[in-house]
Amino acid sequence: MQTQINGQGRAVASIPGVRPAHRNIPPRRWNGRLLLDGFCCAGGAGMGYHLAGYRVVGVDIADQPNYPFEFIHGDAVEVIAEYGHLFDLVHTSPPCQDGCTLTAGTNQGRTYPQLIPATRTALETTGRPWVMENPPGRAPMRRDLQLCGEMFGLSVIRHRNFEPGGGMTVDQPPHVPHRGRVAGMRHGQWFTGPYFAVYGQGGGKGTVAQWQDAMGIHWTTARRELAEAIPPAYTRWIGRAVAHLTRAA
Ligand SMILES: C[S@@+](CC[C@H](N)C(=O)[O-])C[C@H]1O[C@@H](n2cnc3c(N)ncnc32)[C@H](O)[C@@H]1O
């Protein structure tokens, strides 16, 4: 990514410890806006905002060598509270294991931190528009927007809920009926279908290349990173809606 020398470039420069972006990311037209990608992992959400025209800066508690944009290695709640006001929009994907129906079986008996309330408190202090994302389940957040891969012609279903705040709203696209079943091994037999189940370690759920194509994520081959990600198409939709609202204000 080219470094933008302007007011917002200086805003990023004022944050200590920002690692430069990788160079091998697709070109896009910058919309003049800056996005903080909280709990960024390898950047599924970040890539959607990038494609919508944002300059993206990610933050994660774990080092993320495959994250393609500028990156801060740190606690997202702390970084949002301290620097969130410098950004036009703050996206967050707090860990979902505590309230997620997808992992209820595998995570039984373990406890996970629930970061959603603390994240929302930090987001509200920024005075900026923000959005929080989580999978369906018991997560303590609103479900104002629900997105599905079929809305964007993807080969994943991958329902995700979004809670926008800070005065922004995002249009809900109509839910499109699913075209069929999820492909994969069941009872020792491979079933075909238009969708892949991108979670866990793979095995009978499709190859890495099939997962990459299904998600629209080609800059990482790590199954864990693909399994944690949301398809960039989702945040591209949100990023475009917010850019429109911000310009109109
Ligand atoms: C569900 S993943 C995010 C996926 C990402 N939105 C994407 O689309 O690729 C959650 C991430 O939160 C990170 N995480 C957990 N606790 C954190 C914290 N306190 N601060 C920052 N990141 C944290 C994890 O390391 C993990 O990468």
Side-chain angles (χ1 to χ4, degrees), residues 113-192:
Q114 177 49 267
L115 296 179
I116 288 177
T119 302
R120 186 185 292 106
T121 301
L123 288 165
E124 282 171 347
T125 65
T126 65
R128 308 303 306 166
W130 54 264
V131 63
M132 189 149 54
E133 171 271 321
N134 244 233
R138 294 180 289 108
M141 57 174 267
R142 299 195 315 271
R143 293 148 203 192
D144 301 349
L145 173 70
Q146 295 181 291
L147 297 179
C148 161
E150 187 53 60
M151 294 171 179
F152 305 97
L154 300 175
S155 298
V156 283
I157 297 171
R158 216 163 181 82
H159 292 128
R160 289 293 181 271
N161 297 324
F162 296 84
E163 175 182 325
M168 81 177 226
T169 56
V170 184
D171 287 345
Q172 169 69 59
H175 204 108
V176 182
H178 302 159
R179 284 170 288 149
R181 299 186 64 191
V182 171
M185 291 295 285
R186 286 189 284 278
H187 311 297
Q189 191 185 342
W190 177 266
F191 287 83
T192 55

Side-chain angles (χ1 to χ4, degrees), residues 3 43 55 61 65 80-81 116 153 188 245-246:
T3 303
R55 176 177 174 176
I61 200 93
I80 291 165
I116 288 177
L245 286 176
T246 311

Side-chain angles (χ1 to χ4, degrees), residues 37-47 59-64 67 72-79 91-97 113 115 119 133-135 158 160 215 217 219 224-232 235:
D37 180 14
F39 310 89
C40 64
C41 198
M47 182 58 81
V59 52
D60 202 288
I61 200 93
D63 192 17
Q64 299 292 348
Y67 189 74
I72 303 166
H73 187 182
D75 184 298
V77 177
E78 289 175 12
V79 171
H91 172 98
T92 54
S93 298
C96 63
Q97 286 86 349
L115 296 179
T119 302
E133 171 271 321
N134 244 233
R158 216 163 181 82
R160 289 293 181 271
M215 295 283 284
I217 292 178
W219 65 95
R224 189 190 58 76
E225 293 177 352
L226 288 159
E228 291 268 325
I230 57 173
T235 41

